[in-house]
Amino acid sequence: MDTPMEKPDGNSPGPVRPVLEAPDIARVLTRIAHEIVERAKGADDVVLLGIPTRGAHLARRLGTKLEEITGRPLPVGSLDITMYRDDLRLRPARALARTEIPGEGVDGRLVVLVDDVLFSGRTIRAALDALGDIGRPRAVQLAVLVDRGHRELPIRADYVGKNLPTSLRETVKVQLTEEDGRDGVLLGVRETAPAGER
């Protein structure tokens, strides 16, 4: 597990090591799905909204797991937060992702936001703003595959696949089959600490 691997992309100059592999990701998603059913007392009014890109894939996978547990499909959609980010003027222009709200809507329902990595909390703040423009859920919860710490806002996840304490020089790269051809979470080291991201 600690053996250095090749770099997953050009953003991580140092060696990387896997911290979760495909079977681990499948296991934690199953656990999170069971936790959602338990806390939501059957998940009758749950709507899953994934934050593109990888959060949307994870939301669909969670939806499949929840259907296996409950015996019925749950509404799953995606929530683009691009125009709600507080770093729009600091970064190059980015393409808009898709927002897909299930036909049942979100009003009066328990919305579970799904993302791959929780870092500063700014992505989730943007997601809450975007969600507020769509409707008024009964409650909002957060499910993340990895919580790497370093919060800048008072935001915490209700469901966490793996708590992964990191330094600011470290990078966390989530790979999913739908985007990357494989499942995994890789921990790497960059040469300089980032100036506030996620």
Side-chain angles (χ1 to χ4, degrees):
M1 233 13 199
D2 292 328
T3 307
M5 295 176 52
E6 291 182 12
K7 296 180 281 188
D9 55 38
N11 298 325
S12 301
V16 299
R17 65 179 177 92
V19 291
L20 290 177
E21 297 186 351
D24 305 313
I25 292 175
R27 248 190 320 274
V28 299
L29 289 177
T30 298
R31 174 173 51 79
I32 289 172
H34 280 282
E35 290 174 358
I36 290 172
V37 171
E38 184 177 341
R39 287 186 59 176
K41 297 179 173 48
D44 289 338
D45 67 343
V46 168
V47 176
L48 300 174
L49 291 183
I51 299 172
T53 301
R54 287 167 184 81
H57 296 310
L58 291 170
R60 284 190 284 275
R61 292 190 194 186
L62 265 179
T64 300
K65 301 269 189 193
L66 285 163
E67 183 174 356
E68 291 170 2
I69 296 166
T70 64
R72 56 186 168 67
L74 269 74
V76 180
S78 61
L79 183 65
D80 177 41
I81 57 134
T82 304
M83 299 309 296
Y84 295 86
R85 295 186 64 103
D86 61 6
D87 61 356
L88 272 180
R89 66 190 189 299
L90 305 175
R91 292 181 175 221
R94 65 185 82 197
L96 296 177
R98 293 183 63 179
T99 289
E100 297 174 355
I101 303 302
E104 299 88 338
V106 299
D107 290 341
R109 300 180 73 97
L110 170 58
V111 171
V112 178
L113 296 173
V114 183
D115 204 8
D116 56 352
V117 179
L118 178 58
F119 188 12
S120 68
R122 293 179 182 275
T123 293
I124 305 307
R125 182 211 53 82
L128 291 170
D129 288 347
L131 184 59
D133 282 350
I134 290 166
R136 191 173 192 277
R138 172 177 67 78
V140 181
Q141 295 179 348
L142 174 61
V144 296
L145 184 62
V146 175
D147 184 344
R148 63 167 295 184
H150 303 289
R151 215 73 76 244
E152 296 172 4
L153 298 171
I155 288 172
R156 68 172 180 81
D158 300 276
Y159 312 100
V160 178
K162 183 172 181 65
N163 284 293
L164 184 63
T166 61
S167 76
L168 286 173
R169 289 194 58 224
E170 290 176 307
T171 62
V172 176
K173 170 74 173 172
V174 172
Q175 296 180 323
L176 296 177
T177 303
E178 297 91 334
E179 285 290 312
D180 311 292
R182 69 183 298 271
D183 279 0
V185 176
L186 305 175
L187 182 66
V189 180
R190 70 177 98 217
E191 289 172 350
T192 56
E197 62 179 57
R198 283 194 97 76

